Amino acid sequence: MRKLQALKLKTRMILVLGIMTVVQTGVIGLVAVLTLHHSLDEQIGQRALDVAKTIAAMPNVRSAVERRDSDYLVPLSLTLAEQTQARFIVIGDRDGVRLAHPRAEMIGYSMADDDGDDNAPALRFGQTYLAKAQGSMGWSMRGKAPIFDEYGEQVLGIVSVGYHLDQVALTITRYSVTLIVVILLSFGVSAMIAIWFANHFKQAIFGLEPEQIGRLFSEQRATLESVKEGIIAINATGHITTINRTAVVALGLPEAQPHVGRPIEEVLPDSAMLDVLQSGEPQFDREVRRGERIIIANRIPLRQGDEITGVVSSFRPKDELAEVSKKLTRIQQYADSLRSQSHEYANKLHTIAGLIQIGATDEALALIGQETKAHQALIKLLLNAVPDPVLSGCLLGKYNRAKEMGLLLEIDPESHMAELPANIPAEDLVTIIGNLLDNALEATLAHQGKGGQVFLSMTDVGNDLVFEVEDQGGGVAETEHERIFEKGVSSKGETGRGYGLHLVKGILEDLNGTIMLEPSPQGARFVVYLPKQLVTPGEPEDSRDG
């Protein structure tokens, strides 16, 4: 088996198809030869029997046997043998003693000495029969018939007509040679067909060997099982061809039950994969509700030329994607805060160092006091109004970034955000406020330049947490008020932007919050409402599976 696997696919197919052809042709040929041999024997035997019966019924033969007239019977038998192309014709009396034989020395002796046959069926019972034996004339097929008297009652003698079997052997040999030639030609044709089929087959499988396909399949299965995304694939008939364990777990399907080969509508009755199979249009980032979980699904059609051969769907729980996005946003915000603080303090230190070097110590002390006073006032405000360290750190970082940009972030001194509900993570608030402040600072700098201001107000009075962010960025066109929260849409008109507000919108939907865009005297005002009590969010845009 290993030696066979070491051969190329083309060689293997030639050997397999060739051997199959040789075996099939050989078996069919052997059956044909045996059938032919049996048929020829029957034909020769029947001919011998017919000739023997005809001679036995001749009156002159009957009378000559009664007279035991060998002088008459011998030339007659030779003539009849030549006319019927028989190998020999032997005529005997009622005792089986030869009266006529092609060899004169055999006349007068018992016919039993020739082939060991006592001729009992003909002489005793008056029956015709066939016998295949090797006698004094070689192997022959003999037809034997009794000779009756004129009344058909008593057996007077016997006629034995033999046809030599050499012709049968020659015929069988000729057919055997033909059979061997046919087998060789069939093997050659099979080899050519195997070469053509192997070349065509290897083109279809990109020139790979079966063992390579097996390894690739194993690698594919391992890869599918290792990814964290759920993956389902269906063929052109809507039957599942691939599904990994992540998909089984994410969709809540029974793990012990096999799903490959089942119709997708049987496993996921509301799957939109069949829509993609019919339309051929891909679907990206579709929200799907599965029980209490929301997943983000992508559905892509598989094509072979112009024909759609299947659909692949990949998906992940929305909370995982949102968590990754929030973590990345927080990391970016922390990095921006640290960079802003580092840059701001570096500038201050350089200024203080320069003042000391020129002897302006009073000015240096005044600058230190002024900086300390501003930061102390901000820190005091944050400690009193926002005791949560995560949110306070975010606001302090944005304050320093605004100063670095030449802007002023003004936090309403009446702001109050003392206690955050347990159902609203501080990290989500950081993502919401951080993105809104970043957008406001960039819009203000672009429209107003250095010296612009961004205003932030927070309150936890009542049933909602309310945040207001107002900028001096020139405002947002009224036609863009709805689209501004879509992914990739930005009022700045730059590529690679327009994800911050979309992320904010998504988090607020998870928390059942809302965001409103309002015009302000010099720009735009974003107002965020977050209910303190958790409420189940509404249905997502696409509630179908897969």
Side-chain angles (χ1 to χ4, degrees), residues 462-482:
N463 297 325
D464 298 325
L465 304 182
V466 182
F467 300 88
E468 293 186 19
V469 178
E470 185 176 341
D471 60 41
Q472 296 178 345
V476 179
E478 188 173 352
T479 56
E480 297 292 323
H481 278 203
E482 294 296 330

Side-chain angles (χ1 to χ4, degrees), residues 344 370-371 374-375 378 395-412 437 440-442 444-445 448-456 469-472:
E344 178 69 16
Q370 178 183 357
E371 186 66 24
H375 273 80
L378 176 62
L395 295 177
L396 184 59
K398 298 305 177 185
Y399 177 84
N400 291 325
R401 187 180 180 219
K403 292 186 64 177
E404 179 190 2
M405 298 170 66
L407 305 175
L408 174 62
L409 173 58
E410 183 178 351
I411 301 177
D412 186 357
L437 289 176
L441 291 173
E442 291 176 5
T444 300
L445 181 63
Q448 193 74 14
K450 292 187 178 182
Q453 293 184 351
V454 173
F455 178 81
L456 171 64
V469 178
E470 185 176 341
D471 60 41
Q472 296 178 345

Side-chain angles (χ1 to χ4, degrees), residues 315-504:
F315 50 89
R316 288 189 73 174
K318 182 179 180 181
D319 51 0
E320 290 186 12
L321 297 174
E323 187 64 27
V324 171
S325 299
K326 287 186 284 186
K327 286 182 179 179
L328 292 175
T329 301
R330 288 197 297 271
I331 291 173
Q332 182 180 0
Q333 290 173 349
Y334 293 153
D336 290 342
S337 299
L338 291 174
R339 181 175 55 82
S340 299
Q341 292 180 32
S342 176
H343 189 270
E344 178 69 16
Y345 283 114
N347 290 336
K348 298 297 183 182
L349 288 175
H350 292 158
T351 303
I352 293 171
L355 291 174
I356 293 175
Q357 288 177 1
I358 64 176
T361 54
D362 292 339
E363 288 79 358
L365 291 173
L367 181 58
I368 293 172
Q370 178 183 357
E371 186 66 24
T372 302
K373 182 178 179 181
H375 273 80
Q376 287 297 328
L378 176 62
I379 291 173
K380 182 178 180 180
L381 171 62
L382 293 177
L383 287 175
N384 292 331
V386 189
D388 184 85
V390 177
L391 184 56
S392 296
C394 173
L395 295 177
L396 184 59
K398 298 305 177 185
Y399 177 84
N400 291 325
R401 187 180 180 219
K403 292 186 64 177
E404 179 190 2
M405 298 170 66
L407 305 175
L408 174 62
L409 173 58
E410 183 178 351
I411 301 177
D412 186 357
E414 300 298 326
S415 295
H416 191 267
M417 194 62 59
E419 186 175 350
L420 300 181
N423 63 288
I424 302 179
E427 290 80 5
D428 287 352
L429 288 180
V430 167
T431 302
I432 295 171
I433 302 304
N435 277 289
L436 292 177
L437 289 176
D438 284 340
N439 285 351
L441 291 173
E442 291 176 5
T444 300
L445 181 63
H447 184 265
Q448 193 74 14
K450 292 187 178 182
Q453 293 184 351
V454 173
F455 178 81
L456 171 64
S457 174
M458 304 173 289
T459 180
D460 58 359
V461 177
N463 297 325
D464 298 325
L465 304 182
V466 182
F467 300 88
E468 293 186 19
V469 178
E470 185 176 341
D471 60 41
Q472 296 178 345
V476 179
E478 188 173 352
T479 56
E480 297 292 323
H481 278 203
E482 294 296 330
R483 295 184 64 250
I484 197 68
F485 296 102
E486 296 179 7
K487 182 186 294 187
V489 177
S490 173
S491 60
K492 305 176 184 64
E494 301 175 10
T495 58
R497 309 299 294 268
Y499 292 93
L501 290 178
H502 176 75
L503 179 59
V504 170

